[in-house]
Amino acid sequence: VQLVESGGGSVQVGGSLRLSCEVSGYSDRGYCMGWFRQASGKEREGVASIDTGTGSAYYVDSVKGRFTISLDNAKITVYLQLNSLKPEDTAMYYCALRQSLYCAKRRPMRAADFDDWGQGTQVTVS
């Protein structure tokens, strides 16, 4: 299984970015996708998740109303729309796949609940 993120970059405060994560080598149509981020010197933080079982999305409080996660099941691609970006959103963003119909319900999101990871894409807000 391979996950490849794209769409990161440098933006000004208040700007927007759209991150993409394409999955290959996985054929089951039941899965959960998550986005995590890790700022320099900080622990990895779960940002958002969505699964094919319910279609419902979860967001960490700090991004609610600004970020939107969506899924293209035909392409097995997950997107993260980042709006109203703040300097504290600066981080490496990682997508992750959980090989299960449903996302884990534990909060905050845990990296250990995901099976496969991308290499990350950098988002810098200044």
Side-chain angles (χ1 to χ4, degrees):
V1 179
Q2 186 175 15
L3 286 70
V4 179
E5 302 101 332
S6 61
S10 296
V11 295
Q12 294 183 337
V13 172
S16 297
L17 285 172
R18 189 191 194 207
L19 308 184
S20 300
C21 174
E22 185 172 353
V23 180
S24 60
Y26 185 75
S27 58
D28 196 317
R29 292 301 174 178
Y31 55 93
C32 161
M33 295 296 301
W35 284 97
F36 288 75
R37 66 185 179 185
Q38 188 166 17
S40 179
K42 295 188 177 180
E43 293 186 355
R44 191 167 295 195
E45 173 191 38
V47 174
S49 65
I50 189 169
D51 62 41
T52 59
T54 66
S56 61
Y58 160 80
Y59 301 94
V60 70
D61 286 347
S62 58
V63 308
K64 282 182 181 177
R66 300 188 299 120
F67 292 7
T68 303
I69 189 170
S70 61
L71 202 55
D72 184 334
N73 199 28
K75 298 180 181 179
I76 313 186
T77 299
V78 63
Y79 305 95
L80 188 67
Q81 179 68 40
L82 289 65
N83 296 330
S84 302
L85 283 161
K86 305 175 180 180
E88 52 263 42
D89 296 317
T90 295
M92 185 71 78
Y93 283 70
Y94 300 88
C95 67
L97 169 73
R98 172 178 167 88
Q99 297 185 18
S100 170
L101 185 60
Y102 301 104
C103 292
K105 302 307 179 187
R106 287 179 288 196
R107 301 290 180 257
M109 287 170 58
R110 293 176 32 160
D113 288 330
F114 290 82
D115 301 297
D116 304 283
W117 292 82
Q119 293 299 308
T121 186
Q122 177 69 35
V123 172
T124 303
V125 186
S126 60

